[in-house]
Amino acid sequence: STLYSFGVYDAASLDAASTSVTTKCRHLDVFAGSGSVGLESLSRGATGAVFVDFAQNCCDVVASNVEKCGFEGLGQPVCCDALLALRDPASVGIEGTFQVITITPPYEEVVYSELMEAVANSPLLDEDTVVVVEYPVELGCLPHSVENGKLIGIRNRKYGRTVVAIYVHRPSGRLRRTAESRPEEFVSL
């Protein structure tokens, strides 16, 4: 997968107490639905996932799927508005930062400019957080740089009616070379 090629699941660090190698990769799945994207991330090595959806039935399904997939204690559904979760996460019980954030909204129900501003300025992002945004081809193209360079586009690929844009928040250069800026991909499709 593309996220593997960026090295997000193997950002190894030494655990000072045990000198064993541990991986810290927390995933925030926004507009989670059934939780399939965050669950896939857990199966690939993420150490935890928070699933945000406005619909209570979706949050209930996520909780059930986390259990059925054997990830008890690693997945937390949060039933709330996505923009609230991004702008004021503490108010809905979300703490810390995430290494991967996926945003897969219902296309006609969001204003993408507000969504991109909210994610770019969210306290949930840290240096090198990878942000994946799904959007409809009818939207045209999301910008290569968001909020004065807080998010830098590294992939923008069309799959039928769906486009997937991948950004890095305040890139430090620690991600693998495959995660370099690619402005040429952020043109009208």
Side-chain angles (χ1 to χ4, degrees), residues 4 41 46 48 58 65 68 72 74 94 108 110 118-119 124 130 135 146 154 159 166 177 182:
Y4 260 121
S41 190
C58 288
N65 287 342
K68 287 178 183 175
E72 297 90 349
L74 298 178
I94 302 173
E108 288 80 23
V110 298
V119 71
L124 298 172
V130 175
Y135 66 98
V146 178
I154 57 176
Y159 304 94
I166 304 175
R177 185 179 168 110
R182 293 190 181 182

Side-chain angles (χ1 to χ4, degrees), residues 149-180:
K150 290 180 182 175
L151 293 177
I152 300 296
I154 57 176
R155 295 285 188 287
N156 194 51
R157 304 284 167 85
K158 179 182 168 202
Y159 304 94
R161 183 181 175 231
T162 300
V163 183
V164 177
I166 304 175
Y167 293 89
V168 175
H169 182 254
R170 296 183 302 132
S172 72
R174 283 192 306 248
L175 294 175
R176 291 187 186 150
R177 185 179 168 110
T178 55
E180 290 179 345

Side-chain angles (χ1 to χ4, degrees), residues 3-70:
L3 296 179
Y4 260 121
S5 74
F6 298 156
V8 296
Y9 293 109
D10 62 5
S13 60
L14 285 179
D15 180 339
S18 67
T19 67
S20 66
V21 175
T22 60
T23 301
K24 178 187 174 201
C25 180
R26 294 183 68 219
H27 186 127
L28 179 67
D29 185 352
V30 183
F31 299 100
S34 66
S36 62
V37 177
L39 288 166
E40 177 69 19
S41 190
L42 287 169
S43 77
R44 292 179 180 266
T47 55
V50 174
F51 302 85
V52 173
D53 204 286
F54 190 71
Q56 184 60 55
N57 63 331
C58 288
C59 292
D60 294 343
V61 167
V62 166
S64 175
N65 287 342
V66 166
E67 182 181 327
K68 287 178 183 175
C69 292

Side-chain angles (χ1 to χ4, degrees), residues 114-165:
E114 290 178 13
L115 185 61
M116 295 305 291
E117 175 275 326
V119 71
N121 293 302
S122 178
L124 298 172
L125 281 74
D126 203 354
E127 189 174 77
D128 294 320
T129 294
V130 175
V131 178
V132 181
V133 182
E134 182 180 300
Y135 66 98
V137 70
E138 293 84 0
L139 190 64
C141 187
L142 291 179
H144 170 255
S145 175
V146 178
E147 290 290 303
N148 297 316
K150 290 180 182 175
L151 293 177
I152 300 296
I154 57 176
R155 295 285 188 287
N156 194 51
R157 304 284 167 85
K158 179 182 168 202
Y159 304 94
R161 183 181 175 231
T162 300
V163 183
V164 177

